[in-house]
Amino acid sequence: MGRGQGKKQRLLRKDFKGANRRDNTWDEKRSTKNKFMEPSDYHNEAFEEYYHVQDIVPRDEWQAFLGSLKTPLPITFRINGSGKFANELRQKMESDFFANFRAGPIMLDGEVVDPPRPLPWYPHNLAWHMNFSRNQLRKLSWLGEIHEFMKAANEAGSITRQEAVSMVPPLFMDVRPHHRVLDMCAAPGSKTFQLLEMLHNIDANSDSSNGSGAITPTGFVIANDAEPQRCNLLTHQTKRMCSPCLMVTNHNGEQFPCISAVAANRPPPGNSGTSAIPPAEADGGSSSGQADDVMLFDRILCDVPCSGDGTMRKAPDIWRRWTVNNGNGIHIMQLKIALQAVRLLKVGGRMVYSTCTFNPIENEAVVSELLIRCSGTLELLDVSYQLPELQRCPGKRQWKVRDKHQWYNTWEEAEKICFKLDPTMFCTPEKSQLPLDRCMRILPHHQDTGGFFVAVLQKVAPTPNLHDPDMKHRFTRIISAGPSGRLIKMEGMDPSRGASYAADFALQAAEQAIAALESAETAAAEKAANATAAAVARAGLALDAAQENYKHAKRYEAQEDKKQQKQRRQQDAAGAAAEDGDAVAAAQEMEGVEVDDDMMNAEQATAEAAADEAAAEEGQEDLPEAGPVPGSDAAAAAATNGGGGGAAAAARAEAAADGAEKAAWTPSWVRGGGGRGRAGGGKGRFRGIDPIVPVEDPSIISVGSYT
């Protein structure tokens, strides 16, 4: 019935007169909910219970941890270290803008105005921390001037406003000017900007200077993100660097394609004597033992999407939205992105995995599963000696898994009754023996920051054939996919059997709960009740899967029948065309006309094209597996109708095919605005934005398995 529940909407003046008149009084029940949360609303019992059990924070620091999450995040910014005037800018800020704090503490309305201070762990005092309230900025004019200066300098690229813990992962990557660097989940781009700074941090006396005196590194950074809109933000953030060593791509991180090393090293037009991208000089060895036809990376940053509960200080609405399913639901995606990063990493290369969450399911569970799947070819590095002034906690070697109903210790315990869990989430005896304490977890109350997790890994040998996580423990589903709406069968557990088992377990757990209540065993009764709820929820999932499969079953069978009918029609059409061709050839032989191979091939191609066209007209519901090359019809026509003998016809056919091949590759879409890439120019929010044309040349990129 819609939001009006079938009631007549009152939109006109007459609707508020007479019997329809509404009293001019405030109705609290009809008021919209306030979108802005007060500090008193910053609580979530599920959040507190979850991290109490996981023992993420020492018991004596729990209240300080919660208290820090309920306070606003201070302002932090970073001076562009590769800029020409970085040191002069820092000195000017210390001598001019921050000079008012040298006389002593400044009081305003009974509050102390905290002076700006450099982050003690960031190199060369290039990162600063300020904690000014809006009231202080409004009442002290010179503080407002500092704020305005920061906005102008940020827009110019001299500084970058960035959360303090977000600056940490690039510092452990040890990026050099000759490195090939991949940022797999780059948006909004602050870490990418930081990587570009490190790439351009070349000594002025190095040999990398070009003829104009400017210094250009031989390496590059590829910044990738899955969302086109976030790629716009990424482009806007990184264009302030004005670096020629940046490429922005738009792919799912877990499906980032192979890049042909031959195409990458192809010299630019008009410069056949040099290489477009010189081979990277990996620290600690070369890329021996790796595929020569795939370009691998020296450094990869995997700052994967996460539940984000470490950002509560700047996004307090997470207090209201947090559930345990937030982290459980993206665990598999995080693992797939990390596995793809390992495939793209060269031997001797370094990879940093990071998240802005405290959750071990998104952190230690992913890293431990990654190490086990790589079978010793990936090493978790100990970086505790680096950035010694950065306070951090070691990673966890033990953790539990919870769905929305109850806790589980092992996958065997949860396999048949859990709600949307995966075996890779669980801690096993093998995982507990890994050096996971080399990971680092940054807590907000230690240095007045947000929450973060970082793991530094190095590839020490070629990896085995890495497979994505197996989903056979989930229920079998038949789903539709692709532009044609074709059906795909996802193999897994039988939903009927799963529903039956879950229902039986729910009955048994309910009986145990009743017995525990009768014997006044409250804890046992609560545990049995939670198990009952979990089993009922799993039975509901199985029922949904069974209903979905039943809905698609007939359509799936009909689709298979259509495919078989299409194949039969194609075979019949090809056979008929072949018979016609034989008849024509026989008639021409009887008349004394010489039939050469070129003419026969041209007629055969024409017959096949006619068969494909007939099949396409009759079965348009399915996409063809392999369509003809654009221009093949013109080539066939040239070969068939052209005069002057078979050689001339073949020459015309070959020329037409060459023209079709040159026109075959065109970008399928162009994101951006202006008149350079889009017909009619950009419109709306994309007006004036430089277009980004995707590379879809199959000779350069492909999707495949590699080490």
Side-chain angles (χ1 to χ4, degrees):
M1 300 297 291
R3 296 183 62 185
Q5 300 297 323
K7 299 179 182 179
K8 179 182 177 182
Q9 295 184 357
R10 300 190 293 180
L11 303 176
L12 304 177
R13 182 178 298 178
K14 65 180 182 179
D15 296 326
F16 295 88
K17 293 182 179 180
N20 296 326
R21 182 179 180 182
R22 184 168 59 190
D23 295 336
N24 189 19
T25 58
W26 177 260
D27 188 353
E28 185 66 28
K29 294 181 180 179
R30 297 182 63 89
S31 62
T32 57
K33 188 174 182 180
N34 186 11
K35 297 181 180 180
F36 300 97
M37 298 180 62
E38 298 294 334
S40 58
D41 299 327
Y42 295 170
H43 66 274
N44 187 310
E45 294 181 0
F47 172 85
E48 297 180 20
E49 186 261 348
Y50 184 82
Y51 286 116
H52 252 306
V53 174
Q54 297 287 19
D55 196 25
I56 295 299
V57 183
R59 298 293 179 177
D60 56 343
E61 300 180 13
W62 179 254
Q63 292 303 324
F65 169 73
L66 284 182
S68 65
L69 288 177
K70 298 177 181 180
T71 59
L73 193 67
I75 300 173
T76 51
F77 65 92
R78 175 175 48 79
I79 301 175
N80 183 353
S82 64
K84 184 177 181 180
F85 305 103
N87 293 328
E88 289 79 357
L89 179 60
R90 183 192 60 201
Q91 295 173 3
K92 181 175 179 60
M93 292 176 60
E94 293 175 350
S95 60
D96 295 349
F97 292 106
F98 303 153
N100 293 310
F101 292 96
R102 295 177 181 175
I106 298 177
M107 302 294 296
L108 180 64
D109 296 338
E111 298 180 353
V112 178
V113 180
D114 296 330
R117 56 179 175 82
L119 296 178
W121 45 267
Y122 200 91
H124 311 301
N125 288 346
L126 291 178
W128 287 75
H129 169 286
M130 298 190 301
N131 196 10
F132 304 144
S133 66
R134 293 186 177 181
N135 181 53
Q136 293 170 346
L137 289 174
R138 185 170 58 252
K139 291 189 175 182
L140 293 177
S141 60
W142 51 274
L143 283 182
E145 293 176 0
I146 295 177
H147 190 253
E148 291 299 324
F149 165 77
M150 287 180 54
K151 291 193 295 184
N154 180 75
E155 189 67 24
S158 300
I159 69 172
T160 299
R161 293 189 60 177
Q162 184 179 358
E163 189 178 347
V165 289
S166 178
M167 306 177 191
V168 174
L171 296 178
F172 289 105
M173 294 186 67
D174 190 26
V175 175
R176 305 293 177 85
H178 60 269
H179 280 165
R180 295 169 174 171
V181 185
L182 172 62
D183 191 351
M184 296 196 72
C185 309
S190 56
K191 298 183 187 67
T192 305
F193 197 98
Q194 200 171 353
L195 294 173
L196 284 171
E197 290 181 16
M198 298 176 180
L199 194 74
H200 283 269
N201 190 16
I202 307 175
D203 184 15
N205 296 324
S206 67
D207 296 334
S208 299
S209 177
N210 57 27
S212 62
I215 300 176
T216 302
T218 57
F220 58 86
V221 175
I222 294 181
N224 176 73
D225 201 84
E227 294 292 335
Q229 293 83 358
R230 289 172 62 85
C231 285
N232 275 329
L233 180 61
L234 173 62
T235 305
H236 175 76
Q237 179 80 304
T238 54
K239 72 178 183 180
R240 301 175 298 125
M241 187 72 180
C242 299
S243 171
C245 306
L246 173 68
M247 175 185 290
V248 177
T249 60
N250 177 216
H251 292 282
N252 289 331
E254 60 269 32
Q255 297 174 343
F256 194 89
C258 311
I259 301 178
S260 171
V262 177
N265 290 319
R266 186 182 300 154
N271 188 12
S272 59
T274 60
S275 175
I277 302 177
E281 302 171 2
D283 297 331
S286 64
S287 58
S288 59
Q290 313 217 14
D292 295 333
D293 58 342
V294 175
M295 186 183 72
L296 303 179
F297 294 88
D298 300 281
R299 299 290 186 266
I300 297 180
L301 175 59
C302 278
D303 187 46
V304 297
C306 64
S307 58
D309 50 29
T311 64
M312 281 180 165
R313 299 184 66 180
K314 68 177 182 181
D317 61 308
I318 296 178
W319 282 103
R320 182 173 61 246
R321 296 186 290 105
W322 191 94
T323 66
V324 68
N325 292 334
N326 295 350
N328 293 345
I330 56 179
H331 165 82
I332 291 296
M333 179 185 66
Q334 294 167 335
L335 180 57
K336 287 182 178 180
I337 294 176
L339 286 170
Q340 186 68 356
V342 175
R343 299 185 188 107
L344 293 165
L345 189 65
K346 69 186 303 183
V347 173
R350 178 174 294 193
M351 163 184 163
V352 172
Y353 176 87
S354 62
T355 68
C356 53
T357 178
F358 310 109
N359 196 344
I361 306 302
E362 304 175 65
N363 297 332
E364 285 89 349
V366 175
V367 174
S368 60
E369 185 69 21
L370 199 63
L371 293 172
I372 289 177
R373 286 174 179 265
C374 291
S375 304
T377 61
L378 196 67
E379 180 184 358
L380 184 59
L381 299 181
D382 181 9
V383 292
S384 57
Y385 63 93
Q386 298 183 29
L387 306 181
E389 295 182 322
L390 175 65
Q391 296 185 27
R392 68 200 89 170
C393 295
K396 307 292 296 183
R397 291 195 175 192
Q398 296 286 340
W399 63 89
K400 296 182 178 181
V401 181
R402 178 184 172 85
D403 60 11
K404 66 178 184 178
H405 299 289
Q406 65 174 351
W407 290 94
Y408 305 94
N409 292 316
T410 63
W411 171 244
E412 291 72 21
E413 177 186 349
E415 180 177 6
K416 296 182 179 180
I417 62 171
C418 65
F419 183 81
K420 295 184 178 180
L421 298 182
D422 299 289
T424 55
M425 298 177 179
F426 289 82
C427 182
T428 63
E430 184 180 6
K431 291 181 180 179
S432 62
Q433 299 301 318
L434 297 173
L436 295 177
D437 53 338
R438 296 180 180 179
C439 303
M440 63 192 85
R441 181 176 279 102
I442 302 174
L443 300 178
H445 63 288
H446 285 167
Q447 290 181 305
D448 196 15
T449 63
F452 222 76
F453 175 88
V454 181
V456 185
L457 304 111
Q458 185 169 0
K459 192 172 183 178
V460 297
T463 55
N465 189 13
L466 297 177
H467 297 285
D468 285 338
D470 189 3
M471 295 287 103
K472 290 185 178 180
H473 60 280
R474 298 189 178 181
F475 293 123
T476 300
R477 289 182 182 271
I478 300 176
I479 61 175
S480 61
S484 64
R486 64 186 185 278
L487 299 180
I488 300 175
K489 188 174 182 180
M490 310 293 292
E491 295 294 340
M493 185 186 301
D494 181 18
S496 301
R497 185 173 58 199
S500 176
Y501 183 89
D504 293 340
F505 185 88
L507 290 175
Q508 297 175 7
E511 293 175 357
Q512 295 175 1
I514 294 173
L517 285 174
E518 292 176 350
S519 59
E521 297 178 0
T522 307
E526 183 178 1
K527 182 177 180 180
N530 291 336
T532 303
V536 170
R538 183 169 180 81
L541 286 177
L543 179 61
D544 293 340
Q547 290 177 344
E548 184 178 358
N549 293 347
Y550 178 78
K551 180 180 67 175
H552 290 308
K554 297 298 182 182
R555 185 182 173 191
Y556 184 79
E557 295 175 359
Q559 178 179 276
E560 294 299 319
D561 292 340
K562 288 181 179 180
K563 287 183 178 179
Q564 295 177 3
Q565 293 175 9
K566 178 181 177 180
Q567 292 176 358
R568 287 195 295 268
R569 287 194 298 267
Q570 289 178 341
Q571 293 175 358
D572 294 342
E579 292 178 359
D580 293 342
D582 293 341
V584 172
Q588 291 178 347
E589 288 180 357
M590 292 177 63
E591 295 177 1
V593 179
E594 182 180 356
V595 182
D596 59 6
D597 293 338
D598 293 332
M599 294 181 64
M600 292 295 295
N601 292 336
E603 292 176 356
Q604 183 179 0
T606 306
E608 292 177 355
D612 291 340
E613 184 178 357
E617 291 178 354
E618 296 179 2
Q620 293 182 357
E621 67 282 352
D622 293 325
L623 292 178
E625 296 182 358
V629 177
S632 59
D633 294 340
T640 305
N641 300 326
R652 285 191 293 271
E654 184 177 359
D658 291 341
E661 183 178 358
K662 292 179 181 178
W665 177 78
T666 56
S668 62
W669 53 265
V670 177
R671 184 179 60 80
R676 287 193 289 163
R678 302 175 67 183
K683 297 181 180 179
R685 61 184 297 185
F686 296 112
R687 180 174 295 278
I689 301 176
D690 290 337
I692 298 178
V693 181
V695 177
E696 298 181 354
D697 189 346
S699 66
I700 297 178
I701 63 173
S702 61
V703 178
S705 60
Y706 45 92
T707 58

